[in-house]
Amino acid sequence: MSFTAVYLNKDGDHFSAELKHLRDDVLESNPLSEGEVVVRVKHSGINYKDGLAITNSSPVVRVWPMVAGVDGAGMVESSADPRWKAGDRVVVTGWGLGETHWGCLAQRARLKADWLIELPNAFSTSDAMSLGTAGFTAMLCCLAVRDEGVKPASGDVLVTGASGGVGSVAVAILSAWGYRVVAATGKLHEADYLLSLGAAEVLDRAGLATPGKPLQKERWAAVVDSVGSHTLANACAQTRYGGVVTACGLAQGMDFPASVAPFILRGVKLVGIDSVMCPMERRKAAWDALASDFDARKLGAITTVIGLGDVFASAEHILAGRVRGRTVVDVHRVP
Ligand code: NDP
């Protein structure tokens, strides 16, 4: 028996990315797929990090050969850990999947029992990956905004990279929670999409993307930023006294060309968000909040479904910033 996977390899300077048929028993013997639970993956997703890995654009993959895919959802096939049994529906994100451990752009994966979350009843495996790492991260950002005391009455919340995976889900969550959301995007032709997700206003991201003054007019009670660089610096400089900025991404750049002025003169809080090693208790809280507060009817607009063979083109598209919302991969749809 065999399964198909997105297989990345490096031989000297030569990088390759291909669909490969792997024997089932390779999961048993391979140190990069150690774990107590074998999962029949049904859906995975294309995240920005997958784009970087599949195109070899950034050193995401630390060990070769690697099966790509930082997240997945499916059914437990077998488990040597009593917490899981065959037939359980599970979702997994992060933990080094697709970086140091074989990931979920594959029909099967062997995973650590500690990494799995029971898929909330509200979601199918496809729904779970419509949210995926990006949606989970968006919820971590939104929870941080709320936990830091920002209320809907506090003022507008800026979401950058709004048409992307993190941004789209953040817009939907924050508006469902009653915040007035301003969506900054480079895709003004997607304004109707962002308004349909719940944005009250759509802003051209160009106004945030270039160097700005250390302190600017106070506009935002909170910010969810997945873009980094000048955008994050300007967002901090425009945040109101005592406001909160969550930083989770680097779509514009990893740099942060800012001053300390917003932090020391306006008490602005900058909260870093990491989804990869996020503790299990917080993960469960975030998935529970997605299940209860995210309007699953919005998933249709957010999602594009592709097959396993389409991931190579999709990886290029996400890095070029051309993807709207989330790309779900039906790993059993193979050309
Ligand atoms: P997407 O590619 O789906 O979205 C990113 C969005 O950023 C794009 O759609 C675009 O939105 C905007 N963007 C792209 N290029 C630029 C640019 N040069 N300048 C300004 N804006 C740009 O990615 P995700 O939403 O999945 O991820 C967003 C970021 O968050 C990535 O950097 C990713 O690595 C990071 N991330 C971090 C996680 C963590 O654990 N910290 C987890 C998940 C993601 P628009 O056209 O609307 O402006």
Side-chain angles (χ1 to χ4, degrees):
M1 293 283 282
S2 69
F3 65 99
T4 309
V6 174
Y7 192 81
L8 312 178
N9 203 2
K10 214 170 211 181
D11 190 1
D13 281 344
H14 180 254
F15 169 78
S16 61
E18 59 180 325
L19 281 191
K20 198 171 175 88
H21 302 293
L22 299 167
R23 284 168 47 124
D24 280 358
D25 58 10
V26 77
L27 288 179
E28 319 299 320
S29 55
N30 181 357
L32 299 185
S33 58
E34 269 178 17
E36 305 84 9
V37 186
V38 176
V39 173
R40 178 178 158 79
V41 181
K42 290 191 151 186
H43 293 94
S44 184
I46 300 291
N47 293 278
Y48 196 84
K49 196 184 266 181
D50 296 310
L52 293 172
I54 291 167
T55 58
N56 194 31
S57 304
S58 180
V60 168
V61 177
R62 322 275 173 75
V63 216
W64 307 93
M66 180 54 59
V67 168
V70 306
D71 52 22
M75 201 96 83
V76 171
E77 247 179 45
S78 62
S79 173
D81 185 289
R83 285 171 290 174
W84 301 105
K85 59 178 189 319
D88 286 346
R89 293 174 349 121
V90 292
V91 58
V92 63
T93 66
W95 300 118
L97 289 177
E99 301 180 64
T100 53
H101 189 104
W102 278 15
C104 290
L105 280 167
Q107 294 164 339
R108 295 178 86 226
R110 195 172 183 88
L111 303 167
K112 301 249 164 85
D114 284 345
W115 294 349
L116 302 174
I117 287 186
E118 188 180 356
L119 187 57
N121 284 333
F123 298 133
S124 65
T125 53
S126 175
D127 293 342
M129 284 300 107
S130 283
L131 295 163
T133 300
F136 165 58
T137 304
M139 181 53 92
L140 292 176
C141 294
C142 297
L143 288 171
V145 166
R146 207 167 62 173
D147 291 351
E148 291 293 341
V150 179
K151 300 196 164 40
S154 308
D156 289 0
V157 180
L158 174 69
V159 175
T160 64
S163 77
V166 173
S168 294
V169 178
V171 169
I173 295 166
L174 290 165
S175 64
W177 285 353
Y179 292 91
R180 187 175 187 278
V181 180
V182 177
T185 183
K187 303 187 194 80
L188 288 174
H189 59 279
E190 297 290 6
D192 285 346
Y193 163 73
L194 292 165
L195 295 171
S196 78
L197 293 181
E201 194 182 325
V202 176
L203 206 69
D204 186 342
R205 78 177 187 207
L208 290 160
T210 50
K213 291 185 180 161
L215 280 180
Q216 301 170 34
K217 187 173 172 228
E218 296 181 48
R219 297 183 70 181
W220 318 117
V223 177
V224 171
D225 177 66
S226 60
V227 167
S229 192
H230 293 297
T231 300
L232 176 59
N234 285 319
C236 290
Q238 295 174 5
T239 297
R240 287 190 187 180
Y241 194 94
V244 178
V245 178
T246 60
C248 75
L250 42 61
Q252 184 180 9
M254 203 191 244
D255 57 328
F256 181 37
S259 86
V260 295
F263 312 114
I264 64 171
L265 297 178
R266 289 185 182 158
V268 169
K269 296 185 205 76
L270 181 57
V271 181
I273 301 292
D274 168 60
S275 67
V276 177
M277 300 309 289
C278 176
M280 186 48 89
E281 204 178 321
R282 190 77 175 156
R283 280 174 192 261
K284 286 184 176 159
W287 278 101
D288 285 348
L290 284 167
S292 61
D293 298 358
F294 183 85
D295 181 355
R297 287 172 302 183
K298 290 185 173 162
L299 289 177
I302 289 178
T303 309
T304 305
V305 183
I306 63 171
L308 207 50
D310 304 321
V311 302
F312 306 101
S314 186
E316 306 272 357
H317 291 158
I318 197 163
L319 294 191
R322 288 199 294 268
V323 173
R324 182 183 102 172
R326 289 275 301 153
T327 304
V328 170
V329 183
D330 177 348
V331 298
H332 295 276
R333 200 203 290 174
V334 181

